[in-house]
């Protein structure tokens, strides 16, 4: 799969006018997070565009947009022959999410859960995982799917560590630190990819 074009990411962020200046300076998506405000000024970006771009980088929005576009460009897992395959599953959730709902307003809880889901999806997709299900404070992801890989278990463990580490940098609306826990398991599963573009995965 070819890497996501930077102009597409910038367009999603409302920063399409910046694409030409960044490309002329040989800045790609790998270099972009390394740039400072002074760097962006030197390239020729306006104050508004610099602030918006730096916010997208520091808030994680840049990575989330890139991950979403990468996922959209991936070959659909549908229309594959049903098969039995060894998969690795990663499950992660927030610690004490029930207490979170008891201490904060529903809108605040929703924003916190969305933030958790965003950082989890970013860590999972960067590690090569396939986010399968997001429900409240829980995230389930598959590794070795839709493409089989020999190092699926290692990829899942790396993703689990990345999710736990990323959540440690988040806080509740009242400023208390958040924490996540994760579990990884591997086993034989049955995959029916011919489900109208949606893969059906079953197994213990």
């Amino acid at each position: 799969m070819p890497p996501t074009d930077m102009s597409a990411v910038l367009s999603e962020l409302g920063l399409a006018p910046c694409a030409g200046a960044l490309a002329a300076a040989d800045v790609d998506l790998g270099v972009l997070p390394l740039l400072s405000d002074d760097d962006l000024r030197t390239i020729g970006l306006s104050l508004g565009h610099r602030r918006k771009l730096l916010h997208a980088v520091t808030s994680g929005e840049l990575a989330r947009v890139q991950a979403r576009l990468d996922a959209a460009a991936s070959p659909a897992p549908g229309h594959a022959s049903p098969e039995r395959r060894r998969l690795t599953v990663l499950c992660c959730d927030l610690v004490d999410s029930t207490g979170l709902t008891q201490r904060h307003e529903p809108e605040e809880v929703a924003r916190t859960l969305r933030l958790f889901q965003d950082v989890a999806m970013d860590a999972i997709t960067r590690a090569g995982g396939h986010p399968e299900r997001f429900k409240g404070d829980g995230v389930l992801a598959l590794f070795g799917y839709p493409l089989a890989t020999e190092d699926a278990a290692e990829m899942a463990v790396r993703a689990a560590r990345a999710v736990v580490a990323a959540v440690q940098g988040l806080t509740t609306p009242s400023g208390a630190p958040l924490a996540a826990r994760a579990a990884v398991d591997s086993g034989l599963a049955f995959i029916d990819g011919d489900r109208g573009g949606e893969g059906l995965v079953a197994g213990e």
Side-chain angles (χ1 to χ4, degrees), residues 101-170:
T101 62
Q102 294 172 343
R103 294 188 295 269
H104 299 283
E105 295 297 322
E107 295 83 0
E108 295 176 328
V109 174
R111 285 194 293 269
T112 302
L113 293 178
R114 178 59 183 271
L115 187 58
F116 160 67
Q117 291 178 352
D118 285 346
V119 300
M121 180 175 180
D122 180 51
I124 290 167
T125 54
R126 285 181 178 275
H130 178 80
E132 176 74 8
R133 190 178 309 149
F134 291 85
K135 185 174 182 180
D137 71 332
V139 177
L140 184 146
L142 303 177
F143 290 79
Y145 175 86
L147 299 177
T149 58
E150 295 182 357
D151 57 347
E154 180 180 348
M155 293 162 60
V157 171
R158 290 183 182 277
R161 292 171 61 89
V163 171
V164 171
V167 173
Q168 287 177 343
L170 305 179

Side-chain angles (χ1 to χ4, degrees), residues 2-165:
T4 298
D5 182 63
M6 185 170 68
S7 62
V9 176
L10 293 173
S11 180
E12 287 284 317
L13 295 170
L15 292 167
C18 301
L22 292 170
D26 296 323
V27 174
D28 57 22
L29 288 171
V31 174
L32 197 54
L34 305 177
L35 300 184
S36 67
D37 183 64
D38 286 340
D39 294 329
L40 296 176
R41 183 188 298 111
T42 301
I43 290 172
L45 270 58
S46 68
L47 175 62
H49 284 159
R50 295 200 309 270
R51 291 291 178 264
K52 192 170 183 179
L53 185 55
L54 289 172
H55 176 71
V57 171
T58 58
S59 68
E61 184 65 16
L62 176 71
R64 290 191 291 272
V65 168
Q66 183 179 356
R68 186 171 70 249
L69 294 178
D70 284 343
S74 298
H79 307 295
S81 300
E83 63 174 315
R84 290 164 64 94
R85 186 197 300 175
R86 189 169 184 82
L87 293 180
T88 297
V89 179
L90 164 63
C91 298
C92 54
D93 66 357
L94 282 177
V95 174
D96 192 29
S97 59
T98 301
L100 184 69
T101 62
Q102 294 172 343
R103 294 188 295 269
H104 299 283
E105 295 297 322
E107 295 83 0
E108 295 176 328
V109 174
R111 285 194 293 269
T112 302
L113 293 178
R114 178 59 183 271
L115 187 58
F116 160 67
Q117 291 178 352
D118 285 346
V119 300
M121 180 175 180
D122 180 51
I124 290 167
T125 54
R126 285 181 178 275
H130 178 80
E132 176 74 8
R133 190 178 309 149
F134 291 85
K135 185 174 182 180
D137 71 332
V139 177
L140 184 146
L142 303 177
F143 290 79
Y145 175 86
L147 299 177
T149 58
E150 295 182 357
D151 57 347
E154 180 180 348
M155 293 162 60
V157 171
R158 290 183 182 277
R161 292 171 61 89
V163 171
V164 171

